[in-house]
């Protein structure tokens, strides 16, 4: 059983982060960023391209292959008011893959900027795709939590993927305090990004280059990919005094049957690239427990709730849980598991699958800092003090760390 973190005070996870330490742009060469190495309480640093030398031969390294979409769309009313529509998650169809293939209409749950200027009516915008004029319209629907359902329609028979590529803007993190630039379309994607759906990059992966990936292979480390679509909630600050007052956002995951096989071949152990890979991998353990209790569970039933890890008896071994999950996928004829997670990983959590973590430096008082603290058994201050004292660059475009507890 994990110990209950609900009464953790978020103010205990604060540190001074001067604005000049936030990297506004990435380095010209991704893999030349600094690498902090934390190993059993000892801290040193190196350059990222040397990362493979710190990894054990024969290990399994897991990457999140999600791709950031151009989720920020702008419409102008007849009055001249600019309305921003920020795509959060698909509403109709709700499947990401089907969504990007739709060719006439679809609906998303969205955040709306300048909402007070859009009381009613349909917004329209004309764009050009492949030399053809296309009219895109947006109609406001009912409120959905903190977002709105927005129904889109367009002419020309193009896919929705083509629509957002033509009129959308890449949503870089708000703390960069700058406009999106053309260069961000490349630098704010990992070199292995494939599956469209995120509104934020899994930034630990931004340091990898084809050369570093080749070096990982040459060191005898097996690579595997899964998908977690990063939601805007990743930037949601913890505003409650205790973390029990913070509601984690739901994120959608896809995990192949082969990934479960590879995890089992490595005794249920993995090196995670990024906190999104961590949340996906650790959620698999709890999904395995669910199918052990209910073999008839649906994919939706496997959703991992925020506090579930702290309300669940976790005496089942990781291998037993993953074996059960794999058998359940076989029984249901699933080559890919599509589900979702709301997991919060905070001090008191015992990791089941992730044994090493590659990650960037996170915002003060964030759930990601809680995740790191849980991983290094509360030793996060030592890591962040070292990074601040040694000119490390912070947040999405900043430097990297390898954490080995």
């Amino acid at each position: 059983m994990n110990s209950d973190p609900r009464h953790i005070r978020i103010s205990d996870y604060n540190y001074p982060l001067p604005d000049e330490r936030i990297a506004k742009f990435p380095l010209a060469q991704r893999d030349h960023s600094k690498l902090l190495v934390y190993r059993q309480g000892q801290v040193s640093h190196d350059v990222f391209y040397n990362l493979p030398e710190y990894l054990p031969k024969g290990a399994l390294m897991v990457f999140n292959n999600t791709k950031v979409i151009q989720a920020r769309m702008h419409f102008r009313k007849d009055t001249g008011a600019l309305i921003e529509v920020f795509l959060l998650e698909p509403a109709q169809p709700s499947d990401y893959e089907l969504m990007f293939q739709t060719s006439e209409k679809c609906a998303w749950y969205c955040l709306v900027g300048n909402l007070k200027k859009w009381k009613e009516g349909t917004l329209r915008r004309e764009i050009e795709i492949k030399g053809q004029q296309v009219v895109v319209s947006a109609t406001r629907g009912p409120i959905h939590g903190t977002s709105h359902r927005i129904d889109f329609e367009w002419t020309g028979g193009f896919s929705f993927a083509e629509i957002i590529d033509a009129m959308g803007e890449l949503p870089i993190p708000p703390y960069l305090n700058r406009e999106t630039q053309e260069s961000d379309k490349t630098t704010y994607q990992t070199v292995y990004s494939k599956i469209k759906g995120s509104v934020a990059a899994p930034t630990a992966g931004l340091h990898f280059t084809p050369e570093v990936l080749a070096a990982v292979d040459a060191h005898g480390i097996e690579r595997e990919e899964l998908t977690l679509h990063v939601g805007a909630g990743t930037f949601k600050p913890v505003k409650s005094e205790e973390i029990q007052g913070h509601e984690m956002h739901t994120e959608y995951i896809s995990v192949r049957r082969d990934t479960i096989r590879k995890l089992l071949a490595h005794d249920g152990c993995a090196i995670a690239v990024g906190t999104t890979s961590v949340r996906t991998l650790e959620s698999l353990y709890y999904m395995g427990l669910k199918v052990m209790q209910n073999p008839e569970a649906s994919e939706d039933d496997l959703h991992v709730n925020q506090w579930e890890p702290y309300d669940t008896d976790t005496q089942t071994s990781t291998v037993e849980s993953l074996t059960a999950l794999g058998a359940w996928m076989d029984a249901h004829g699933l080559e890919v598991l599509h589900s979702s997670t709301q997991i919060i990983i905070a001090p008191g959590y015992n990791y089941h699958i992730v044994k090493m973590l590659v990650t960037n430096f996170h915002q003060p008082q964030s759930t990601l800092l809680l995740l790191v603290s849980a991983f290094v058994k509360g030793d996060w201050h030592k890591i962040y003090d070292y990074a601040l004292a040694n000119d490390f660059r912070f947040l999405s475009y900043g430097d990297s760390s390898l954490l080995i507890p």
Side-chain angles (χ1 to χ4, degrees), residues 373-393:
S373 180
F375 194 66
V376 297
K377 305 289 190 288
D379 213 9
W380 71 271
H381 267 300
K382 181 184 287 185
I383 294 161
Y384 278 68
D385 288 349
Y386 185 97
L388 286 164
N390 287 276
D391 281 336
F392 275 70
R393 299 155 70 252

Side-chain angles (χ1 to χ4, degrees), residues 174-215:
Y175 47 62
L176 294 184
N177 288 322
R178 65 171 176 82
E179 294 294 307
T180 301
Q181 301 196 4
E182 190 63 26
S183 61
D184 292 308
K185 288 183 181 178
T186 304
T187 59
Y188 197 58
Q189 300 279 16
T190 63
V191 297
Y192 49 80
S193 65
K194 293 182 183 71
I195 314 295
K196 289 184 174 184
S198 279
V199 300
T203 55
L206 296 180
H207 307 275
F208 285 88
T209 56
E211 293 77 16
V212 173
L213 293 173

Side-chain angles (χ1 to χ4, degrees), residues 224-226 255-264:
E224 182 59 16
E225 295 178 359
L226 42 72
V255 179
R256 297 182 313 124
R257 177 67 178 93
D258 269 358
T259 304
I260 307 293
R261 288 191 189 96
K262 286 182 184 175
L263 284 167
L264 285 167

Side-chain angles (χ1 to χ4, degrees), residues 239-264:
K239 290 183 174 169
S240 53
E241 222 169 281
E242 296 184 336
I243 65 165
Q244 68 176 347
H246 180 76
E247 185 183 357
M248 282 294 281
H249 50 294
T250 295
E251 290 173 312
Y252 294 88
I253 67 171
S254 303
V255 179
R256 297 182 313 124
R257 177 67 178 93
D258 269 358
T259 304
I260 307 293
R261 288 191 189 96
K262 286 182 184 175
L263 284 167
L264 285 167

